[in-house]
Amino acid sequence: MYYLTVTTTYRNFENKEAKAADWLALEKEYLEKVIKKNEFIVGYNVLNHYYTANNGEIVFVNVYENWDAIEKAWNKNQELVKQAWLDEKARKAFYEKRSMFYKPRHSDEIYVTYGDRKRMAKAPDKPMVYYVRKSIFDTPKDGTDKEFDDLNKQLFDNLTMKNDVVKAYYAYNHAWGSNNMEFVEVFVVDNLADVENAWKKDDELFKAKWKDEKGREEFNKKMGKYFTGQHGDFIYQSVPELYKQVMPK
C-alpha cells in the first residue's frame, strides 16, 4: 500500500509573458533540488490537461510509503528549500516567479493504492497518455470485500496484465477528500488512439477468458453491483522531465 496526494492546480492564462519552457525549467529546478532529495517522496509525477473539463489543469502527484510520510515529506521539503536557496530573498524570488504560472487556487485529494499494479518497464522518456476513470461505489447488501477483491483480481490477471497496449495500471481508493465513494483507475498508454485500442484488446481478452456469453453476463452482473454505473473520464499527458520513481518493483 502507498498513499498519494493529488494536487490539482490551474495555469494562469492572464500571465501573457508565461512560456512553457520557462515553466518547465522552474519545475525541473524544484524537482532536482527538493523532490529528488526528499527520501519520504517515493514517487512524483506531473500531468497536464489533455481532455478534461478545464484546459488549465496541472496535476501534481506525490507518492508516500505511509500516512506519516506525508507530513514528514512536507517538513523535509521546507528544509531542502532552505538548503537550495540559502538567501531568504532568493527563496522568495523563486517562489514568486513560480507562482506567476498558476492561479491562486488548488484542490487536494489523498488516495491509497488498491490491489495489484502494473508498472512501466522503465521511466518514460516521452509524454505518456494517462486515462483516469473515477467510478462511484455502490453498497450492495449481498456484497463482500472478498468477492470484490476476487473479481478485480480476475480482471487484473486476465485482462490488464495481458493487454500489451496498457503500459501501466494503478487503482486507488479514497483516503481523504471530497468523495469517499470514489474508486480511481489509471491506465497509461502511448498515445490517445491507444485508449480505444486498449478497450478493444480488453474485449478480446475478456471473451477469451469467459468464452460463453452466459459466463460473461454473470461476471458483469457480479461486478456491476458494486458500482452505481456513474463514472467520470479524464485524460492527461505526463511530463517526462518531471518524474521520480524509487518504489520497489
Side-chain angles (χ1 to χ4, degrees):
M1 288 177 60
Y2 293 90
Y3 283 86
L4 290 84
T5 58
V6 179
T7 300
T8 302
T9 60
Y10 302 89
R11 291 190 184 278
N12 180 15
F13 291 115
E14 295 176 5
N15 181 5
K16 303 303 181 182
E17 303 299 319
K19 296 180 180 178
D22 295 336
W23 169 79
L24 182 58
L26 283 171
E27 292 301 335
K28 283 177 68 176
E29 184 177 2
Y30 189 80
L31 174 72
E32 295 297 331
K33 293 180 177 180
V34 181
I35 300 296
K36 285 189 175 180
K37 294 182 179 180
N38 192 330
E39 68 273 20
F40 298 110
I41 299 175
V42 298
Y44 181 80
N45 205 358
V46 178
L47 305 175
N48 281 320
H49 152 90
Y50 202 173
Y51 281 96
T52 65
N54 189 325
N55 69 324
E57 281 188 352
I58 305 176
V59 180
F60 292 85
V61 181
N62 290 269
V63 185
Y64 314 89
E65 289 186 338
N66 51 59
W67 183 272
D68 291 340
I70 298 175
E71 183 175 0
K72 291 178 180 178
W74 189 90
N75 292 330
K76 184 69 175 182
N77 275 353
Q78 310 316 304
E79 294 177 16
L80 290 167
V81 164
K82 290 179 180 179
Q83 292 174 17
W85 294 275
L86 295 173
D87 181 71
E88 186 176 349
K89 289 184 178 180
R91 288 198 300 274
K92 185 178 179 181
F94 177 84
Y95 276 119
E96 286 181 350
K97 190 175 181 180
R98 191 182 182 209
S99 66
M100 290 174 63
F101 287 92
Y102 302 99
K103 289 282 190 179
R105 64 185 179 94
H106 71 272
S107 62
D108 297 298
E109 302 283 343
I110 302 178
Y111 297 99
V112 60
T113 55
Y114 168 81
D116 294 321
R117 295 173 288 280
K118 182 178 183 179
R119 303 186 192 279
M120 283 184 281
K122 60 179 181 178
D125 56 4
K126 65 174 184 178
M128 302 292 289
V129 170
Y130 281 62
Y131 165 63
V132 180
R133 180 170 64 208
K134 295 183 179 181
S135 302
I136 305 301
F137 278 125
D138 204 348
T139 53
K141 292 182 179 180
D142 61 339
T144 66
D145 289 343
K146 184 179 183 304
E147 182 184 51
F148 180 74
D149 292 344
D150 178 65
L151 293 170
N152 268 283
K153 178 68 172 173
Q154 291 183 60
L155 288 177
F156 180 82
D157 289 344
N158 294 287
L159 275 65
T160 307
M161 287 303 294
K162 294 180 180 180
N163 190 333
D164 56 358
V165 181
V166 177
K167 304 305 178 184
Y169 169 84
Y170 311 93
Y172 307 105
N173 284 324
H174 162 276
W176 188 275
S178 58
N179 190 345
N180 70 314
M181 299 302 282
E182 269 191 351
F183 180 64
V184 181
E185 295 175 278
V186 179
F187 302 82
V188 184
V189 295
D190 281 323
N191 51 62
L192 185 59
D194 277 346
V195 174
E196 184 175 356
N197 292 334
W199 305 151
K200 290 179 180 178
K201 185 67 174 180
D202 267 359
D203 187 57
E204 294 175 11
L205 292 167
F206 187 71
K207 291 177 180 177
K209 172 60 180 177
W210 290 274
K211 294 181 171 55
D212 64 285
E213 187 174 349
K214 183 179 179 180
R216 293 193 292 270
E217 289 178 353
E218 289 178 354
F219 182 92
N220 284 330
K221 184 178 180 180
K222 287 181 180 179
M223 175 59 80
K225 70 183 180 184
Y226 289 96
F227 296 99
T228 63
Q230 174 191 353
H231 74 272
D233 301 291
F234 310 83
I235 300 179
Y236 299 95
Q237 191 172 52
S238 66
V239 183
E241 297 90 343
L242 303 177
Y243 185 83
K244 172 184 178 180
Q245 181 170 299
V246 296
M247 293 186 295
K249 293 184 178 181

